[in-house]
């Protein structure tokens, strides 16, 4: 069942990213969190997200605007590494609350609380009219890079903020998608390097179980297929209903994380 759920969400979400510039990590991280520890879910999502961005960069990277990539990408890389280090610091803190719910033992940890708050906050970007329409001038690109990069490293949620900042840079639709893909790939590579160091040092739970590795492989494969299928259909997709579904799922998973149920 886990493989089916991960594959389906990865396939659909990766297709949506071709239009919106975000969505794969937003949807996939909480799904991974249903089957593996929250901090490991972030690392697993980063692997799938990075593989997906490699494919998108190959397909659309030539359309990226280099000046925007440099101005946004460099600060985002630094901030993403700091966010990943913050995740490592949170992951080994003692549980805040442990309680029983029927036959199930629920554990509330600082990293779960942090994830829940971030996920609920990013869900507001999809449902609140003011936040959904939020855009920023090109002069604020470095600020957007720092914010989206840090949250990308901490929880994997980076695309919504990055897209909001890039939307007012004067890019063409194709340039927007290409620039988004290249910057997303740079952020993924930087945070993955930190996650790898944390896993090697034992700060994060290692991807030791074959089942977890297979989940990542299934997610990456499904995400590849989603990009290939969605590329010719970019102009036919409407995003409003999808945004509402995404927000609803985020709120539910954030509540479950905050209560220690996943």
């Amino acid at each position: 069942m886990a493989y089916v759920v991960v594959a389906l969400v990865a396939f659909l979400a990766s297709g949506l990213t071709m239009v919106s510039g975000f969505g794969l990590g937003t949807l996939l991280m909480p799904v991974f969190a249903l089957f593996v520890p929250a901090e490991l879910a972030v690392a697993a999502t980063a692997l799938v997200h990075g593989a997906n961005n490699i494919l998108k960069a190959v397909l659309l990277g030539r359309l990226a605007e280099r000046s925007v990539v440099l101005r946004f990408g460099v600060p985002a890389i630094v901030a993403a590494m700091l966010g990943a280090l913050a995740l490592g610091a949170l992951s080994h803190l003692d549980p805040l609350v442990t309680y029983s719910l029927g036959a199930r033992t629920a554990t509330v940890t600082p990293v779960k609380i942090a994830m829940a708050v971030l996920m609920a906050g990013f869900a507001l970007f999809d449902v609140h009219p003011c936040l959904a329409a939020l855009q920023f001038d090109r002069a604020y690109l470095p600020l957007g890079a720092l914010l989206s990069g840090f949250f990308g490293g901490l929880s994997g949620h980076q695309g919504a903020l990055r897209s909001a900042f890039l939307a007012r840079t004067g890019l063409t639709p194709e340039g927007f998608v290409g620039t988004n893909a290249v910057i997303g790939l740079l952020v993924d590579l930087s945070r993955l390097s930190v996650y790898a160091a944390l896993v090697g040092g034992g700060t994060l739970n290692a991807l030791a179980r074959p089942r977890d590795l297979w989940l990542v492989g299934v997610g990456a494969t499904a995400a590849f297929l989603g990009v290939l299928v969605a590329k010719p259909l970019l102009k036919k997709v409407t995003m409003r209903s999808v945004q509402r579904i995404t927000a609803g799922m985020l709120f539910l998973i954030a509540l479950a994380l905050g209560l220690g149920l996943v």
Side-chain angles (χ1 to χ4, degrees), residues 5 8 15 23 38 51 53 70 79 98 102 112 115 123 140 143 162 208 230 253-254 261:
V5 174
L8 182 61
N53 274 330
L70 290 174
T98 300
K112 288 183 179 181
M115 299 294 178
Y140 295 100
L143 173 62
R162 185 174 63 243
I253 300 299
L261 298 177

Side-chain angles (χ1 to χ4, degrees), residues 11 14-15 18 55 59 223-233:
F11 176 81
S14 66
M18 295 293 288
L55 178 61
L59 294 175
F224 281 167
L225 293 175
V227 168
L228 295 175
V229 170
K231 188 173 183 292
L233 304 174

Side-chain angles (χ1 to χ4, degrees), residues 1-216:
M1 183 63 181
Y3 298 108
V4 174
V5 174
V6 168
L8 182 61
V9 172
F11 176 81
L12 295 175
S14 66
L16 297 179
T17 64
M18 295 293 288
V19 179
S20 64
F22 65 96
L24 179 58
T26 301
L27 281 171
L28 194 56
M29 196 286 287
V31 172
F32 270 126
L34 295 174
F35 307 110
V36 300
E39 61 271 24
L40 182 55
V42 175
T45 302
L47 288 170
V48 176
H49 199 274
N52 182 257
N53 274 330
I54 288 174
L55 178 61
K56 288 198 295 182
V58 169
L59 294 175
L60 302 165
R62 67 185 186 282
L63 302 174
E65 184 174 318
R66 293 183 180 180
S67 62
V68 175
V69 170
L70 290 174
R71 192 173 181 185
F72 199 102
V74 173
I77 288 172
V78 176
M81 296 179 75
L82 294 176
L85 290 171
L87 174 64
L90 286 172
S91 66
H92 69 274
L93 296 179
D94 294 332
L96 300 174
V97 178
T98 300
Y99 63 95
S100 296
L101 189 63
R104 183 182 182 88
T105 299
T107 303
V108 180
T109 63
V111 70
K112 288 183 179 181
I113 293 294
M115 299 294 178
V117 171
L118 287 174
M119 288 171 61
F122 278 98
L124 292 176
F125 276 84
D126 289 329
V127 295
H128 195 286
C130 293
L131 293 178
L134 193 61
Q135 294 180 340
F136 302 91
D137 189 79
R138 185 179 285 234
Y140 295 100
L141 280 180
L143 173 62
L146 292 173
L147 290 174
S148 65
F150 181 81
F151 287 128
L154 178 61
S155 71
H157 294 81
Q158 54 172 309
L161 269 177
R162 185 174 63 243
S163 294
F165 277 92
L166 293 181
R168 289 289 295 275
T169 58
L171 296 170
T172 64
E174 295 81 3
F176 171 80
V177 175
T179 302
N180 229 333
V182 172
I183 294 174
L185 177 58
L186 293 174
V187 171
D188 284 337
L189 291 176
S190 64
R191 64 189 178 118
L192 277 170
S193 66
V194 177
Y195 296 153
L198 293 175
V199 168
T203 304
L204 295 179
N205 292 320
L207 282 168
R209 295 184 303 172
R211 174 179 174 273
D212 298 335
L213 294 173
W214 277 107
L215 278 176
V216 172

